Amino acid sequence: MRVEGCRLKLGESQGAPIEFRLAEFALGEGERVALTGPSGCGKSTMLNLVSGLLKPDAGEIEVLGQRLKDLGHWQMDAFRGGSIGFFRSGSMIATSA
């Protein structure tokens, strides 16, 4: 996975843009990473971008050698279904009482 120059406008606060930015990130074959941080720091936004659920306003995202911006809607769905998965833990998992 490779991300370069990724930007996504999320909204505005007091007239100033709120933007997710990721200058550079790479994850090689067989490598694993845990995204940790406080609420609102961009963990879910990053996962949604690299899984193709969100499209960046600028930048490149490549997963398994495939540039995500080259895929149409249905192609992205098929690629995501066959090649991408992530697991969220903690409060996002239902537990039985």
Side-chain angles (χ1 to χ4, degrees), residues 1-88:
M1 178 174 65
R2 181 181 61 82
V3 179
E4 288 185 6
C6 185
R7 285 193 349 253
L8 176 66
K9 184 176 180 184
L10 300 169
E12 291 188 9
S13 176
Q14 300 176 350
I18 300 171
E19 198 172 57
F20 174 87
R21 294 182 186 187
L22 184 58
E24 185 176 356
F25 179 80
L27 190 63
E29 186 176 338
E31 292 182 308
R32 295 179 183 169
V33 66
L35 297 178
T36 64
S39 178
C41 74
K43 301 177 300 292
S44 293
T45 300
M46 181 177 172
L47 290 173
N48 287 329
L49 283 163
V50 300
S51 67
L53 293 170
L54 290 175
K55 292 188 177 209
D57 297 322
E60 289 280 329
I61 300 174
E62 185 178 292
V63 177
L64 298 173
Q66 176 64 58
R67 288 178 6 166
L68 298 188
K69 72 179 184 181
D70 293 342
L71 298 174
H73 178 77
W74 297 111
Q75 292 171 313
M76 186 64 242
D77 283 350
F79 181 73
R80 184 183 313 107
S83 304
I84 298 174
F86 53 85
F87 182 81
R88 295 180 183 190

